[in-house]
Every structure is written in C-alpha cells, then in structure tokens.
Amino acid sequence: MSDLKLGDKAPNFDAETSEGKINFYDYLGDSWGILFSHPADYTPVCTTELGTVANYKSEFEKRDVKVMALSVDGLESHKGWIKDINETQNTTVNFPIIADEDRKVSDLYGMIHPKADDTLTVRSVFVIAPDKTIKMTLTYPASTGRNFDELLRVIDSLQLTAYNKVATPANWKHGEDVVISPSVSNEEADKMFPKGYKEIKPYLRMTPEPELKK
C-alpha cells in the first residue's frame, strides 16, 4: 500500500475514464485538484456523493479546482451508473470517473485498505496544489459519506495560507479572522496587514482575512 504524505508529489498516471483516456497531470494543468475514490458503482452513498460534487461544480470552478473520481468498476458500469446519478440526484455528472479495474491508481494512492476490504477502495480524498504536491488527505470508512462543504472550507484555507503568512483557526470559514504566522514579527505585521491585528498573546495575533494573493 502506498504511503503518501503531505508535501509528497502526487503520482501521475494515465487512466481510462468516463470522459476518455486522461493523463492526470495534463487534466489538472495549473489548477488545484481533488482526487477521490468510491468503493464501487451502484452504491447508495457514492451515488449521493457524486451527485453532490456535480451540483457543486460552480463552487469548485470559483476556486480553480478540478475534480476526478475513481471506482474499481469498468467503463460500461460507470456509464450506466452515471445515468442513475443524474436521474436520482437531479444533476449532470460533469467530471471524469476513473475505471480502475486493475487497481493501478488505487494502489498508487493507497486507496485500498486491507483491514477494511481487500478489493474495494475506502473513501479517500487527496487535495493537490498546482505544483502537484499533496496538500491534504482524508480517509473515510465506506459507510460514511463525505462532507463536501468541509472540503471547500479546507481548500479556501489552503489557498489563503499558500499565498499569505497566515493560518486559519478552528472552525474558520471564508471571511472570518485569521491567525498571523508566528514567524512574522510585529513590525512586519504592521506592513503586511493594513487592516490591523489584535494581539491576544504574543503568539496569538488575529487579523481580518487578507485578500487572496497569487
């Protein structure tokens, strides 16, 4: 099983998908990316998840995020399942789903956990930055559907903190105050954060969310 960690380069791959053969790096281009796995086609929780992702397309586009899903079933199965997803979730699936019958991508990303199931993937999530490094991973059991509002919140934090010397506190949401990085002196903070900041403790300084820099 793969042992990918935060900061590692996300492995590249070629795969057959519901939208044709795709090279992962070419698909992402200079965008952020989410790669997430599903235990199997025609499963109830996965059906709701893929429908949710399709309905969130505009939110992902706002953040310049491209999405790719994976299931260990084949292309014909995917095509039939997508019809069910569109019908039951009142949507149109608008992103590629990898047909990973040989488990090549699943093994590459460590998506199969033998203690859970020897053949099916768990609900893994990888958030990948434009430089192709892994910025966040999440692993859910097969029985628990993912919270895509939380994934959007994490992406907002990752993008903000990638380009500004800040961190986001517990339960932070876009638009709320953020924490100034401890490495920034007060003199630097005066220049970097024109909206000002509040020093609660020398190591805990809060400032209004800065503009997203790139």
Side-chain angles (χ1 to χ4, degrees):
M1 190 173 75
S2 174
D3 189 27
L4 293 171
K5 295 181 175 62
L6 299 184
D8 286 350
K9 207 72 149 178
N12 193 20
F13 56 83
D14 294 305
E16 293 291 344
T17 81
S18 56
E19 297 188 359
K21 189 168 185 178
I22 288 177
N23 175 273
F24 188 47
Y25 278 14
D26 289 346
Y27 172 72
L28 292 180
D30 294 326
S31 299
W32 288 72
I34 293 179
L35 175 65
F36 62 108
S37 59
H38 295 271
D41 292 359
Y42 297 103
T43 50
V45 176
C46 299
T47 299
T48 64
E49 288 188 323
L50 289 175
T52 299
V53 172
N55 286 328
Y56 276 40
K57 183 179 182 183
S58 63
E59 293 298 323
F60 288 118
E61 287 179 342
K62 266 195 267 183
R63 295 162 173 84
D64 192 26
V65 176
K66 292 183 178 177
V67 176
M68 184 179 286
L70 174 149
S71 170
V72 295
D73 292 315
L75 283 179
E76 287 307 309
S77 176
H78 283 3
K79 289 175 183 176
W81 186 31
I82 287 170
K83 290 180 182 177
D84 281 2
I85 296 166
N86 292 341
E87 176 190 341
T88 63
Q89 306 304 303
N90 192 30
T91 192
T92 300
V93 171
N94 41 36
F95 53 88
I97 306 174
I98 298 167
D100 196 36
E101 291 181 284
D102 60 3
R103 315 294 196 270
K104 175 186 168 185
V105 181
S106 301
D107 287 336
L108 197 60
Y109 277 81
M111 292 171 166
I112 294 175
H113 290 220
K115 289 183 180 179
D117 192 297
D118 287 335
T119 58
L120 301 180
T121 60
V122 290
R123 297 185 197 284
S124 296
V125 183
F126 294 85
V127 175
I128 299 162
D131 66 358
K132 307 301 183 290
T133 57
I134 296 170
K135 294 301 183 184
M136 191 276 286
T137 64
L138 278 174
T139 301
Y140 291 70
S143 58
T144 302
R146 282 162 280 216
N147 185 327
F148 289 93
D149 287 323
E150 168 63 6
L151 286 180
L152 289 173
R153 189 190 76 88
V154 170
I155 289 167
D156 285 341
S157 174
L158 288 170
Q159 292 183 343
L160 181 68
T161 59
Y163 307 118
N164 295 274
K165 292 187 177 181
V166 296
T168 55
N171 295 333
W172 174 87
K173 293 178 182 176
H174 175 58
E176 297 179 348
D177 288 357
V178 297
V179 175
I180 297 174
S181 298
S183 62
V184 177
S185 69
N186 284 350
E187 291 75 17
E188 292 172 320
D190 290 336
K191 298 174 183 176
M192 293 172 64
F193 303 103
K195 296 177 183 178
Y197 61 90
K198 180 180 179 181
E199 185 176 293
I200 300 168
K201 291 286 184 181
Y203 60 86
L204 179 56
R205 296 165 296 170
M206 305 296 296
T207 188
E209 180 183 327
E211 297 296 321
L212 184 62
K213 298 176 183 176
K214 293 188 178 182

